[in-house]
Amino acid sequence: MKIHKRYISAFVALMLSVPAFAQVPVPAAKQSKPVLLTGATLHVGNGKVVENAAVGFDNGKITYAGPLSGANRNGHEVIDVAGQHIYPGLIQPNAQLGLNEIESVRATLDMREVGQFNPNVRAVVAYNTDSDIVPTIRANGVLMTQVTPVGGTISGSSSVVQLDAWNWEDAIVKADIGIHLSWPNMIINTGGAPNPRMANMGQQREEAIAELGQLLRDAAVYKQAKNEKENLKLTSLNGLFDGSKKLYLHANYGKEIIEGVNFVKQHGVKDIVVVGARDAVAVADFLKANNIAVIYSGVHALPTRSDEDVDMPYKTPYLLQQAGIPFALDYDLSTHGIRNLPFIAGTAVAHGLDKEQALAAITLNTAKILGIDKQVGSVEVGKDATIVVSAGDILDMRTNNVTHAFIQGRKIDLNDKQKYLYEKFNGKYQAEQPATTGPKAQN
């Protein structure tokens, strides 16, 4: 079939007319020369603040972080960021970013597997680096996330990724850091009369806990035995018994937290993190006694109980800090909303938490809980140059304005689909505004 050259030319012109930045930006090239950011206020991430500071980095690693007066400019590309603020790249724990694109389109959802017990499932292999959501997250300073599966009793293992890569292998910061267990909800009949449906749910819960116990016992025995054939489910649980992997226990109700922690400890699990933890303050003494860290997911939420203060979710981070519980903050309302991670920390500041403590709750504290604090989480010499520069307070939605972002020293393109659409339609409506001067306006 003969195709007219005119149609081919028209098609090529149409393709070339599509703006490149309407798509997911191309991953940045490796850092090619030393860079020095100068004149900003440095928020290290560990509580320390340095006015009129400088941060230098080379080959993706931070080489200097301190007063501007002590910085060596020789051989550096100097970027003047005077009057701005330098922060560590923000870290979102417990997320389905890259696994969940469009809720109503099943083909774009890849965050759960069939079945109740899937410890061998690796969420990171399904992580989509070409997600349209990722650039919108980076634009507010979130540069890393914990890619986490959901569903069933044991949903699988999570990994930490950085948000500028060609594929999931390149994105990995630390792979398979822990196993995720959703503790079965307690069944409480508050109506008084026997309820067959609730009795059935209670029986299912008991069966799930019994099956979980059997799986953990089998895994502990399997770890000690010499096996000719590998059992992937049991092998994937090995790290729980020597502390090389964390168990992320998803539970909110205080009694469920206590029950779940005691249960897994009885089966030899060494390192436990409670995720969700809406009742963490109520069981703070238990968490502290058992050296349990918390990923708190409920800042922008309603109170759990009718007799709680309306601002209880907002002030829980402050209360956890006062109680001495290690914690990180998690924006869990939606995948698209992860860009609001800095603002839930800002809400905690408005309800008692110190501003640098709030920053740590989305940077260094998170890095410690995820086991990556030797590499990221604070702006310190020797760590990855994963850094954010904001013209205003990054925790304040009114002034947050990320002007520069670097991941492992690479300068990140901060364009995204939302910015493209804003520019597109802003130009459209400005062009449609009637003239305010000239003959037409006078008539």
Side-chain angles (χ1 to χ4, degrees), residues 212-214 216-217 220 241 262-269:
L212 172 62
Q214 186 61 55
L216 292 175
R217 287 190 293 273
F241 306 111
N262 285 336
F263 182 89
V264 297
K265 287 188 72 173
Q266 288 169 5
H267 286 82
V269 176

mmCIF file of all heavy atoms in Angstrom, residues 212-214 216-217 220 241 262-269:
data_model
loop_
_atom_site.group_PDB
_atom_site.id
_atom_site.type_symbol
_atom_site.label_atom_id
_atom_site.label_comp_id
_atom_site.label_asym_id
_atom_site.label_seq_id
_atom_site.Cartn_x
_atom_site.Cartn_y
_atom_site.Cartn_z
ATOM 1 N N LEU A 212 0.287 -18.644 60.263
ATOM 2 C CA LEU A 212 1.462 -17.795 60.339
ATOM 3 C C LEU A 212 2.500 -18.393 61.295
ATOM 4 O O LEU A 212 3.697 -18.441 60.983
ATOM 5 C CB LEU A 212 1.062 -16.388 60.814
ATOM 6 C CG LEU A 212 2.202 -15.417 61.127
ATOM 7 C CD1 LEU A 212 3.043 -15.150 59.882
ATOM 8 C CD2 LEU A 212 1.648 -14.112 61.694
ATOM 9 N N GLY A 213 2.040 -18.854 62.455
ATOM 10 C CA GLY A 213 2.949 -19.464 63.416
ATOM 11 C C GLY A 213 3.646 -20.686 62.835
ATOM 12 O O GLY A 213 4.857 -20.878 63.034
ATOM 13 N N GLN A 214 2.890 -21.506 62.108
ATOM 14 C CA GLN A 214 3.478 -22.701 61.498
ATOM 15 C C GLN A 214 4.525 -22.318 60.455
ATOM 16 O O GLN A 214 5.601 -22.940 60.375
ATOM 17 C CB GLN A 214 2.378 -23.554 60.859
ATOM 18 C CG GLN A 214 2.871 -24.896 60.324
ATOM 19 C CD GLN A 214 3.447 -25.771 61.429
ATOM 20 O OE1 GLN A 214 2.795 -26.039 62.434
ATOM 21 N NE2 GLN A 214 4.686 -26.209 61.245
ATOM 22 N N LEU A 216 6.387 -19.571 60.375
ATOM 23 C CA LEU A 216 7.589 -19.082 61.057
ATOM 24 C C LEU A 216 8.386 -20.227 61.683
ATOM 25 O O LEU A 216 9.617 -20.231 61.656
ATOM 26 C CB LEU A 216 7.204 -18.044 62.110
ATOM 27 C CG LEU A 216 6.649 -16.721 61.581
ATOM 28 C CD1 LEU A 216 6.185 -15.827 62.725
ATOM 29 C CD2 LEU A 216 7.693 -15.990 60.734
ATOM 30 N N ARG A 217 7.701 -21.215 62.243
ATOM 31 C CA ARG A 217 8.401 -22.376 62.812
ATOM 32 C C ARG A 217 9.112 -23.165 61.721
ATOM 33 O O ARG A 217 10.271 -23.578 61.885
ATOM 34 C CB ARG A 217 7.416 -23.271 63.580
ATOM 35 C CG ARG A 217 6.960 -22.685 64.917
ATOM 36 C CD ARG A 217 6.200 -23.724 65.726
ATOM 37 N NE ARG A 217 4.933 -24.092 65.103
ATOM 38 C CZ ARG A 217 3.782 -23.454 65.288
ATOM 39 N NH1 ARG A 217 3.736 -22.399 66.098
ATOM 40 N NH2 ARG A 217 2.673 -23.865 64.703
ATOM 41 N N ALA A 220 12.215 -21.254 60.637
ATOM 42 C CA ALA A 220 13.304 -21.325 61.609
ATOM 43 C C ALA A 220 14.028 -22.669 61.513
ATOM 44 O O ALA A 220 15.267 -22.729 61.566
ATOM 45 C CB ALA A 220 12.758 -21.116 63.022
ATOM 46 N N PHE A 241 15.418 -14.074 61.480
ATOM 47 C CA PHE A 241 15.876 -14.777 62.678
ATOM 48 C C PHE A 241 17.298 -14.402 63.098
ATOM 49 O O PHE A 241 17.728 -14.734 64.194
ATOM 50 C CB PHE A 241 15.769 -16.287 62.463
ATOM 51 C CG PHE A 241 14.391 -16.731 62.039
ATOM 52 C CD1 PHE A 241 14.159 -17.214 60.765
ATOM 53 C CD2 PHE A 241 13.321 -16.625 62.915
ATOM 54 C CE1 PHE A 241 12.883 -17.611 60.366
ATOM 55 C CE2 PHE A 241 12.045 -17.013 62.528
ATOM 56 C CZ PHE A 241 11.828 -17.503 61.252
ATOM 57 N N ASN A 262 4.502 -9.509 70.443
ATOM 58 C CA ASN A 262 4.791 -10.654 71.316
ATOM 59 C C ASN A 262 4.808 -11.967 70.526
ATOM 60 O O ASN A 262 5.655 -12.836 70.760
ATOM 61 C CB ASN A 262 3.764 -10.738 72.442
ATOM 62 C CG ASN A 262 3.984 -9.685 73.521
ATOM 63 O OD1 ASN A 262 5.101 -9.193 73.696
ATOM 64 N ND2 ASN A 262 2.932 -9.320 74.236
ATOM 65 N N PHE A 263 3.893 -12.086 69.590
ATOM 66 C CA PHE A 263 3.786 -13.321 68.803
ATOM 67 C C PHE A 263 5.047 -13.552 67.975
ATOM 68 O O PHE A 263 5.646 -14.637 68.024
ATOM 69 C CB PHE A 263 2.555 -13.247 67.893
ATOM 70 C CG PHE A 263 2.312 -14.482 67.073
ATOM 71 C CD1 PHE A 263 1.544 -15.520 67.560
ATOM 72 C CD2 PHE A 263 2.857 -14.595 65.796
ATOM 73 C CE1 PHE A 263 1.319 -16.667 66.800
ATOM 74 C CE2 PHE A 263 2.640 -15.725 65.031
ATOM 75 C CZ PHE A 263 1.871 -16.764 65.529
ATOM 76 N N VAL A 264 5.470 -12.546 67.217
ATOM 77 C CA VAL A 264 6.618 -12.748 66.327
ATOM 78 C C VAL A 264 7.916 -12.870 67.129
ATOM 79 O O VAL A 264 8.836 -13.602 66.718
ATOM 80 C CB VAL A 264 6.720 -11.641 65.263
ATOM 81 C CG1 VAL A 264 5.492 -11.664 64.353
ATOM 82 C CG2 VAL A 264 6.906 -10.266 65.884
ATOM 83 N N LYS A 265 8.003 -12.195 68.269
ATOM 84 C CA LYS A 265 9.199 -12.339 69.099
ATOM 85 C C LYS A 265 9.299 -13.762 69.659
ATOM 86 O O LYS A 265 10.394 -14.323 69.757
ATOM 87 C CB LYS A 265 9.183 -11.320 70.238
ATOM 88 C CG LYS A 265 9.458 -9.881 69.796
ATOM 89 C CD LYS A 265 9.629 -8.941 70.967
ATOM 90 C CE LYS A 265 10.938 -9.183 71.677
ATOM 91 N NZ LYS A 265 11.213 -8.183 72.715
ATOM 92 N N GLN A 266 8.154 -14.341 70.010
ATOM 93 C CA GLN A 266 8.143 -15.715 70.505
ATOM 94 C C GLN A 266 8.628 -16.705 69.450
ATOM 95 O O GLN A 266 9.137 -17.770 69.774
ATOM 96 C CB GLN A 266 6.741 -16.104 70.961
ATOM 97 C CG GLN A 266 6.306 -15.422 72.261
ATOM 98 C CD GLN A 266 4.819 -15.616 72.547
ATOM 99 O OE1 GLN A 266 4.128 -16.327 71.822
ATOM 100 N NE2 GLN A 266 4.330 -14.982 73.597
ATOM 101 N N HIS A 267 8.486 -16.306 68.180
ATOM 102 C CA HIS A 267 8.917 -17.180 67.083
ATOM 103 C C HIS A 267 10.310 -16.810 66.575
ATOM 104 O O HIS A 267 10.718 -17.266 65.491
ATOM 105 C CB HIS A 267 7.897 -17.138 65.945
ATOM 106 C CG HIS A 267 6.632 -17.892 66.251
ATOM 107 N ND1 HIS A 267 5.614 -17.353 66.998
ATOM 108 C CD2 HIS A 267 6.249 -19.172 65.945
ATOM 109 C CE1 HIS A 267 4.636 -18.248 67.123
ATOM 110 N NE2 HIS A 267 5.002 -19.357 66.490
ATOM 111 N N GLY A 268 11.030 -15.985 67.330
ATOM 112 C CA GLY A 268 12.440 -15.740 67.026
ATOM 113 C C GLY A 268 12.751 -14.560 66.141
ATOM 114 O O GLY A 268 13.900 -14.393 65.726
ATOM 115 N N VAL A 269 11.756 -13.727 65.828
ATOM 116 C CA VAL A 269 12.016 -12.552 64.987
ATOM 117 C C VAL A 269 12.762 -11.504 65.811
ATOM 118 O O VAL A 269 12.349 -11.163 66.920
ATOM 119 C CB VAL A 269 10.693 -11.969 64.442
ATOM 120 C CG1 VAL A 269 10.955 -10.695 63.658
ATOM 121 C CG2 VAL A 269 9.991 -13.000 63.562
#
